[in-house]
Amino acid sequence: MGGQGAAFPLLGQPATGLRHLVRRFSWVYSPSLPDLAFALRTSLAAIISLLIAMWMELDSPQWAPLTVWVVAQSSRGESLSKARWRIVGTLVGGVAAITLMAAFPQAPGLFFCVLALWIGLCCALATLLDQYRAYGLVLTGFTSAIIATGAITQPDDVFAVSVARSSYIILGVLCEAVLAVVFMPRIVEHARTALLARLDETFQATCNTITHQLCTAAGAEQQALTSALLRRIVAFSGQIEFSALELGPRNHVGDHARRALAGMLVMLAHARALQILRPPMQLPSGHEEQVPGHVLAAWLEHDAMPDPAGGKEWQPITTALLGEMRLVMREMTACATAPHGDRFRFSLTSRRHVREALNNGIRSAAAIMGAWWLWEVTAWHHGSAFISFVALIYGLMATRENPLVATTPFLKGGLWCAATAAVLALWVIPAITAPEILLLALIIPMTVGGLAARRPELAGYAFSFNMFLPVLIGPMNMGRFDEVGFLNNTLAFLGSIVFVLLTYRVVIPFRLDVHIRRTMAWIGQRLRNLARPQALTDAPAWLSGCAASLVRILFHAAALPAPVLSACLTQQISDMTVGIYIIRLRDLLRSGSLPPRTRRVVALFLARWHKGQATPAVTHVLAWARYEQTRHPSGADHALLSEVVACLRIIAVSQHEKTDTAIAGR
């Protein structure tokens, strides 16, 4: 019995390992319905665009399905936005390519120098833009390179090549759009329902986070909870533009939704201030069965009641939090009702680092010059294709926060793409004699690639696999790749990815510590500028910009030691909290409602804050404001002074906490 009992675990281990291996591929044999619909829709659109391009007898039909995979996104709004900017970037890039070829017809050295500068300029400027506007600008640069290198052996045909490349792009966009309409009917109703549901979930998560924040002391658990919520809000804010596109023109749902999310950030900052000012609250009985928003509203309404003794130093902050919560609920209602004649506008701008843009531009220009130098030295027959691939991959990666992280899975996906393309191009495609057979041959690998694109852990691999599989197969009407042509084209593709990886490592490599220092310095400068009398930044705009920067740091959290990450998060959250109360003091001063003596002291404090000299004086100004409060025991002046005292105390405690954290993190 003992021998049998010892043997059973050994017999069970292979079965367990095999079962685990099978479950890892469940996304292939047991996909969800939305994932399968996306994969089939995009695969059919790609193959149909390829067949149409071949029917039109275009010279490079493989660029049409590549466009489909580039444009296709999970939501219709993302696809519409990306398609629009892709068309614009392609047209402008075609004009730029024709201009460059006409300017340097017999001077390849000057031509590639100017082309490198042009691509570097596009990548640099794209770093300063958001969403697919940045993609459109980058596309302008690498489209110029693709058209120019495609026509470099026959400069007189550059216009025809430009028209052909533009035709592929437009054909791919149209095929993807038509299939999307067929597969996603009633898109407006679904988009509105999804937007409202996501808004409500985010609001309830915000209320739940604030409830726990007010009941516990600050710590690592609370910091992790807040960081996760910030990621959620920032990611949602970036997606609102696409939901607004799905809802159609002439609506302001996106503006109301962005204002609601910005209000949730303000709520978090006020909750952080309450955590500083007042002792922890007690969770009410039965709160698990109640909606988090209702629990928080009841708490705040009770806490905001006037105190006859006047001892609630935190009451102005509670009132501000309750007011912001009501504003968020009004904006959510406006998203649902879409009132007639609505002209509300609300936009946000994320941080702009000119230094990062300059580095990105220099790196891109150096890569193009390096690729041209390799072609010049080796005289490789596929050197023009190599330069095209380098420009294309740089265009795809240039706007990433850390391109090196994204390029590594891109290379692994490229290896899978090359292996699959070898089987199709050398054995399957030569045996195909009808378009229907070509469709059947391509539908399986493309559908698997589409399913992988819906898996977050596989999206980086699927990115290169889906885009470049048609390019490496290279189906044509009157011919096919032979072994030598296929190997050269595949070597140019894989070599370009390795080359891009090397340039990202060698030419001004991304350093996380430098990025964090630059971000913290940028936030510190903005924090000082908030005190300027003519400053226009309000609390939602300030917090949204800071939250976006914080989320970018959290994206690289795995590469940071835990103490460094904790210190960084504490300092940035502290700055976010201080900022909204500097803004409040500035607005109180600007309103002219403060008593004359208080007005002069607050003006002096803000002037010194703007110069970076107010931190040592915060405690003294706070003591003076408390004394001044005793001279106005009641009335409007007392209420205003109470708010000034609350703001100054939050600033003092936050600055002290920031200093302690900076010392501990060293």
Side-chain angles (χ1 to χ4, degrees):
M1 293 294 292
Q4 291 179 354
F8 281 123
L10 296 176
L11 292 174
Q13 285 179 2
T16 303
L18 180 62
R19 190 181 301 114
H20 177 70
L21 181 63
V22 171
R23 286 176 180 173
R24 287 183 58 187
F25 292 93
S26 62
W27 56 274
V28 176
Y29 62 82
S30 181
S32 64
L33 185 59
D35 291 352
L36 183 61
F38 170 81
L40 285 175
R41 166 174 64 87
T42 311
S43 300
L44 286 175
I47 297 173
I48 290 172
S49 69
L50 174 63
L51 295 177
I52 293 175
M54 295 178 69
W55 173 73
M56 295 173 65
E57 297 187 358
L58 299 176
D59 61 339
S60 300
Q62 64 269 21
W63 289 101
L66 180 145
T67 299
V68 172
W69 283 109
V70 170
V71 170
Q73 301 296 322
S74 300
S75 73
R76 187 68 197 126
E78 286 185 83
S79 297
L80 286 171
S81 178
K82 198 168 188 179
R84 178 177 62 184
W85 290 108
R86 183 168 180 82
I87 291 176
V88 172
T90 299
L91 296 178
V92 176
V95 173
I98 295 173
T99 303
L100 290 175
M101 291 293 289
F104 307 99
Q106 302 296 329
L110 285 175
F111 168 77
F112 277 103
C113 287
V114 176
L115 179 64
L117 291 175
W118 167 246
I119 292 176
L121 177 64
C122 291
C123 291
L125 295 178
T127 310
L128 304 177
L129 298 177
D130 294 322
Q131 300 298 345
Y132 293 129
R133 287 174 288 276
Y135 171 74
L137 189 54
V138 168
L139 185 70
T140 300
F142 74 70
T143 299
S144 304
I146 291 172
I147 293 174
T149 54
I152 198 166
T153 57
Q154 297 175 328
D156 292 341
D157 295 335
V158 64
F159 181 77
V161 173
S162 177
V163 172
R165 295 292 185 269
S166 302
S167 301
Y168 303 142
I169 301 300
I170 296 174
L171 174 61
V173 169
L174 289 178
C175 289
E176 196 278 334
V178 171
L179 268 292
V181 171
V182 173
F183 274 74
M184 292 189 291
R186 301 178 59 191
I187 186 172
V188 175
E189 293 83 354
H190 289 309
R192 187 180 296 275
T193 302
L195 176 65
L196 294 176
R198 193 172 179 184
L199 263 179
D200 185 67
E201 291 173 1
T202 307
F203 177 66
Q204 299 302 334
T206 302
C207 293
N208 190 45
T209 300
I210 291 174
T211 300
H212 284 82
Q213 189 170 355
L214 296 179
C215 293
T216 58
E221 182 180 356
Q222 183 62 52
Q223 189 180 79
L225 194 63
T226 303
S227 300
L229 182 60
L230 288 176
R231 287 190 185 192
R232 182 173 183 173
I233 292 176
V234 171
F236 187 15
S237 181
Q239 298 290 318
I240 287 177
E241 173 188 347
F242 310 133
S243 299
L245 280 174
E246 293 175 354
L247 293 173
R250 295 184 297 278
N251 72 81
H252 296 277
V253 173
D255 296 287
H256 289 291
R258 277 188 288 269
R259 180 62 185 89
L261 291 177
M264 294 177 201
L265 293 175
V266 177
M267 289 173 60
L268 282 173
H270 285 316
R272 171 63 181 147
L274 280 179
Q275 193 178 33
I276 292 173
L277 292 179
R278 63 160 302 151
M281 302 171 70
Q282 295 295 324
L283 276 171
S285 58
H287 69 279
E288 296 87 353
E289 293 79 17
Q290 302 180 43
V291 179
H294 296 167
V295 174
L296 181 61
W299 266 9
L300 297 178
E301 288 173 357
H302 179 270
D303 204 48
M305 294 176 61
D307 183 12
K312 286 185 177 180
E313 191 177 41
W314 59 84
Q315 187 172 356
I317 310 303
T318 303
T319 304
L321 174 55
L322 181 60
E324 193 66 32
M325 183 179 181
R326 290 169 177 165
L327 187 147
V328 170
M329 296 171 69
R330 286 198 300 271
E331 297 298 336
M332 292 171 60
T333 302
C335 290
T337 58
H340 181 70
D342 184 16
R343 299 185 182 278
F344 178 75
R345 294 283 185 182
F346 185 80
S347 61
L348 296 171
T349 56
S350 61
R351 66 103 170 94
R352 301 287 186 265
H353 284 339
V354 177
R355 180 66 177 273
E356 290 182 3
L358 183 62
N359 291 347
N360 209 357
I362 294 173
R363 190 187 301 119
S364 303
I368 299 299
M369 289 300 298
W372 169 68
W373 179 80
L374 285 177
W375 185 23
E376 189 73 17
V377 170
T378 61
W380 186 19
H381 181 263
H382 279 65
S384 59
F386 174 73
I387 296 176
S388 297
F389 284 133
V390 169
L392 180 56
I393 295 171
Y394 253 94
L396 296 171
M397 302 296 172
T399 55
R400 303 295 181 93
E401 190 70 35
N402 186 354
L404 185 61
V405 174
T407 310
T408 303
F410 193 90
L411 174 60
K412 296 178 180 178
L415 293 172
W416 280 102
C417 178
T420 306
V423 175
L424 292 173
L426 301 180
W427 287 283
V428 178
I429 299 296
I432 292 177
T433 58
E436 297 81 5
I437 306 301
L438 178 62
L439 187 150
L440 292 176
L442 296 180
I443 192 68
I444 294 177
M446 286 191 175
T447 301
V448 172
L451 292 174
R454 301 277 288 190
R455 305 283 297 181
E457 67 274 15
L458 299 176
Y461 302 85
F463 189 34
S464 56
F465 180 90
N466 294 330
M467 285 180 54
F468 290 98
L469 183 63
V471 176
L472 296 187
I473 293 173
M476 295 172 284
N477 286 314
M478 304 303 295
R480 68 176 182 87
F481 271 140
D482 57 13
E483 289 78 0
V484 175
F486 173 78
L487 291 175
N488 273 287
N489 197 50
T490 303
L491 181 61
F493 168 61
L494 296 177
S496 64
I497 303 178
V498 174
F499 180 81
V500 170
L501 269 170
L502 292 175
T503 56
Y504 278 133
R505 289 185 179 275
V506 175
V507 183
I508 316 179
F510 176 85
R511 290 186 54 186
L512 185 55
D513 56 342
V514 175
H515 172 74
I516 291 176
R517 286 200 301 269
R518 188 182 300 134
T519 300
M520 299 304 292
W522 173 77
I523 290 176
Q525 180 63 41
R526 287 192 68 204
L527 183 59
R528 290 192 297 272
N529 289 338
L530 291 176
R532 293 186 300 121
Q534 64 272 27
L536 300 177
T537 304
D538 58 3
W542 160 252
L543 291 174
S544 298
C546 291
S549 297
L550 180 58
V551 168
R552 289 187 179 97
I553 293 175
L554 290 173
F555 176 75
H556 306 288
L560 287 172
V564 175
L565 177 63
S566 177
C568 179
L569 295 180
T570 300
Q571 291 184 46
Q572 192 151 348
I573 291 173
S574 175
D575 285 341
M576 292 169 65
T577 306
V578 168
I580 66 168
Y581 293 103
I582 291 292
I583 292 172
R584 183 54 186 159
L585 288 176
R586 184 198 69 198
D587 292 344
L588 286 173
L589 180 64
R590 190 179 294 170
S591 68
S593 57
L594 293 174
R597 282 162 50 91
T598 307
R599 191 184 312 141
R600 289 193 295 270
V601 173
V602 171
L604 179 61
F605 171 75
L606 291 179
R608 296 190 64 181
W609 182 273
H610 176 52
K611 297 178 181 178
Q613 303 171 352
T615 301
V618 175
T619 306
H620 302 292
V621 177
L622 174 60
W624 180 90
R626 282 175 170 165
Y627 168 76
E628 195 71 8
Q629 188 180 19
T630 61
R631 300 179 63 249
H632 300 82
S634 61
D637 288 349
H638 178 80
L640 290 170
L641 283 166
S642 297
E643 191 166 358
V644 170
V645 167
C647 293
L648 289 172
R649 187 183 170 196
I650 293 165
I651 294 170
V653 174
S654 297
Q655 291 296 98
H656 182 70
E657 180 185 54
K658 178 181 175 181
T659 303
D660 290 345
T661 304
I663 294 174
R666 291 175 182 172

